[in-house]
Amino acid sequence: MKTERRSVLKKLFASVVGVTGLGVVANAKGIESSPEKVVGNVTSVQNVPMFSGHVIHNGLVYIAGKGAHTAPFEIKAHTEIVLKELEKELIKAGSSMEKVLKVTVYLNDIADYKGMNEVYKGRFGSKPPVRSTLAVAKGGVPGDSLVEMDAIAYL
């Protein structure tokens, strides 16, 4: 009984240390924990802010969806454009492709999955992020883009 209780207490202690230790590790690395979000690359319509290209909060950067709205209208070309735009926004925010934790890919047509993957592979270094890929209803990606991607990264 004592051994079981000790085991449970050790696990509980490890959980508490794991959760509270996260903030300690972040502060030790110089990552500012802030209750305020920091926005960048704000898009406005008629002088009213609509959305930000990225938001920084508690050591993470959230990148808005990036699309390609130009010719050639081919999935490999659009994927290349989107990945370059994603990288530019990450750099503006103080991060990089290697620090991306999560990517969401929205395809206008699931038939483009293979072509998108051919361009996507290897773009995030040797430790790629987790990824979700969704095919939206035909015409569901805004504008003329065949693909849109958003991301979450650390600083």
Side-chain angles (χ1 to χ4, degrees), residues 63-69 75 78-79 82 86 102-113 116 120 131-142 144-152:
I63 305 295
K66 302 295 179 192
H69 307 281
I75 190 61
H78 274 206
T79 302
V82 167
L86 195 65
K102 167 89 169 92
V103 174
T104 306
V105 177
Y106 304 92
L107 292 172
N108 199 45
D109 187 342
I110 195 63
D112 289 334
Y113 183 76
M116 179 274 300
Y120 181 97
R131 183 180 93 184
S132 297
T133 303
L134 301 116
V136 294
K138 203 105 169 112
V141 174
D144 295 324
S145 189
L146 300 176
V147 61
E148 183 172 311
M149 294 181 201
D150 61 34
I152 301 171

Side-chain angles (χ1 to χ4, degrees), residues 74-91:
E74 190 274 322
I75 190 61
K76 289 182 182 179
H78 274 206
T79 302
E80 183 67 34
I81 291 166
V82 167
L83 287 167
K84 285 181 179 177
E85 289 301 311
L86 195 65
E87 184 170 29
K88 282 186 213 175
E89 195 70 39
L90 284 161
I91 291 168

Side-chain angles (χ1 to χ4, degrees), residues 115-137:
M116 179 274 300
N117 268 336
E118 288 178 27
V119 177
Y120 181 97
K121 67 182 174 188
R123 297 302 280 268
F124 296 90
S126 63
K127 296 178 181 176
V130 296
R131 183 180 93 184
S132 297
T133 303
L134 301 116
V136 294

Side-chain angles (χ1 to χ4, degrees), residues 14-88:
S15 294
V16 170
V17 169
V19 171
T20 59
L22 188 59
V24 172
V25 170
N27 288 334
K29 290 186 173 190
I31 298 171
E32 284 295 316
S33 177
S34 139
E36 297 281 329
K37 66 181 180 182
V38 178
V39 301
N41 202 15
V42 176
T43 297
S44 295
V45 175
Q46 298 174 340
N47 293 324
V48 178
M50 289 284 287
F51 61 90
S52 301
H54 67 269
V55 172
I56 298 170
H57 190 304
N58 285 335
L60 294 177
V61 58
Y62 301 84
I63 305 295
K66 302 295 179 192
H69 307 281
T70 185
F73 294 97
E74 190 274 322
I75 190 61
K76 289 182 182 179
H78 274 206
T79 302
E80 183 67 34
I81 291 166
V82 167
L83 287 167
K84 285 181 179 177
E85 289 301 311
L86 195 65
E87 184 170 29
K88 282 186 213 175

